[in-house]
Amino acid sequence: MHFRLIFVLAGALWLGAGLPSVAAAATVGEQATHAIQLVGQGDYETARSVLRQAVSGRPDAPLHLAQLEGLILRQQGRNREAVEVFRFILSREPNFTPARIELSSALTDLGDSDAALHQLQIIELGSNDPEIRRQARSFGESVKDQRPYGFSGYLSVLPSTNVNRGSGHAVVKVGDMDFEIDEEGRKQSGVGFGAGGNAYRSFYLDKQSRLTWAGSVDLKNYSGSGFDELSLSTSLSLARRFGRLELQAGPIVDYRLLAWEPYAFRYGFSLGGSFELGPHVNDHGIGTPYFRVKGTPCLG
């Protein structure tokens, strides 16, 4: 870790166990806002000087100074080092929500969506501010949408009164003639089980484009019968975002077996789109616009 960070974080070690809550660590004034703007402009030394004056005399000053170092690292694209800083702050004061917000954002940028979601859940469950909870929930949904991969599966019992899709009648009348349906053609009841799953993997080409592969398998099995079904499906889609509008297109293939014999094969081309009616949570995190650097929340 950079020597300057060691020096700043060492100062935080002097803090006692009775640190003020995040409610007490409220807005630190116009000077702090100016410091954040300077970080956005790349003038880090001046930002440090301005912030030291802004938080001088505050018992939580080391936390704010360490937070600024984390923001500088993020601004420089050094997210892994920034994660160390924010985790250090939270080890000293778990209620310092600005650090937890930045930690979740940095983890998201590093692709560790599970860890980011964990931090957001802590914010959502622990914050007394309903707006912060709402934004944490909203950003969490955004993180889930950005996951590069996913999987889900299921198991189920399948009771059926007509497992063979047979007739419910023993005799069928056609014109003036009666036709008796044999036992195999009449509906049969049975109990089976179903299992399946689907998975996807996305590859982000840039911030507006991604290529996604998806596949699924579904099995219906009835022991001792010839009515088992197996369905396989796969697709590849290219998605492109235009502001709030996202369009996607690509090939799709379905293959189905009935009684373990080929039954149907389909292929085609899919088109789709979505439009966000509400504002989208910023990709870099959550928080009030008052404390943002390129959309990133920072000091409390």
Side-chain angles (χ1 to χ4, degrees):
M1 187 178 292
H2 195 279
F3 177 77
R4 184 184 298 278
L5 292 182
I6 295 176
F7 177 79
V8 173
L9 297 180
L13 289 172
W14 299 340
L15 297 175
L19 284 171
S21 67
V22 72
T27 301
V28 294
E30 293 183 1
Q31 285 180 298
T33 305
H34 184 209
I36 303 311
Q37 293 172 346
L38 290 169
V39 171
Q41 297 167 9
D43 191 352
Y44 306 138
E45 290 303 325
T46 305
R48 291 181 178 111
S49 176
V50 169
L51 185 61
R52 288 192 196 99
Q53 296 178 24
V55 299
S56 178
R58 290 173 59 109
D60 59 350
L63 294 180
H64 289 280
L65 294 173
Q67 177 80 355
L68 183 67
E69 294 300 324
L71 292 172
I72 290 172
L73 288 171
R74 292 212 61 205
Q75 184 74 11
Q76 295 173 334
R78 298 158 62 187
N79 282 305
R80 294 193 183 280
E81 295 173 70
V83 165
E84 294 182 32
V85 173
F86 299 131
R87 288 194 186 280
F88 175 86
I89 295 172
L90 293 171
S91 73
R92 307 304 299 169
E93 176 46 74
N95 292 326
F96 198 77
T97 301
R100 199 173 297 280
I101 290 173
E102 285 297 332
L103 175 59
S104 68
S105 183
L107 289 168
T108 299
D109 287 348
L110 290 171
D112 194 347
S113 57
D114 290 335
L117 286 170
H118 174 67
Q119 298 300 327
L120 290 168
Q121 288 169 355
I122 293 176
I123 296 172
E124 185 178 349
L125 294 173
S127 176
N128 294 322
D129 188 332
E131 178 60 18
I132 290 294
R133 292 198 302 270
R134 184 194 67 78
Q135 291 190 39
R137 190 180 309 113
S138 180
F139 184 46
E141 293 301 318
S142 177
V143 171
K144 291 177 183 177
D145 291 341
Q146 295 176 40
R147 276 179 168 174
Y149 59 87
F151 173 81
S152 64
Y154 70 90
L155 290 172
S156 61
V157 178
L158 304 173
S160 175
T161 59
N162 191 2
V163 65
N164 63 336
R165 298 183 178 84
S167 173
H169 303 279
V171 177
V172 175
K173 189 176 183 65
V174 180
D176 296 329
M177 301 180 64
D178 293 334
F179 292 88
E180 184 175 354
I181 300 176
D182 59 25
E183 288 294 332
E184 292 185 359
R186 298 178 189 177
K187 68 178 184 178
Q188 301 175 18
S189 61
V191 176
F193 77 91
N198 60 77
Y200 71 89
R201 180 71 168 91
S202 294
F203 304 89
Y204 286 87
L205 308 179
D206 54 44
K207 289 187 176 181
Q208 285 75 40
S209 305
R210 73 178 186 277
L211 186 66
T212 302
W213 168 85
S216 66
V217 56
D218 294 279
L219 171 67
K220 296 179 181 179
N221 179 266
Y222 293 90
S223 179
S225 73
F227 309 110
D228 298 341
E229 293 183 29
L230 177 64
S231 298
L232 304 170
S233 177
T234 187
S235 65
L236 189 67
S237 67
L238 177 64
R240 177 76 178 177
R241 178 173 289 277
F242 303 91
R244 293 188 180 182
L245 174 66
E246 182 177 89
L247 300 176
Q248 49 187 300
I252 183 169
V253 178
D254 290 319
Y255 185 59
R256 184 179 174 195
L257 290 86
L258 185 61
W260 302 104
E261 294 290 337
Y263 180 77
F265 176 69
R266 299 181 299 174
Y267 60 91
F269 197 79
S270 66
L271 294 172
S274 62
F275 184 80
E276 295 175 359
L277 297 178
H280 186 69
V281 176
N282 192 282
D283 289 340
H284 295 283
I286 58 177
T288 60
Y290 189 68
F291 286 110
R292 290 185 179 226
V293 179
K294 290 189 176 179
T296 305
C298 49
L299 300 176

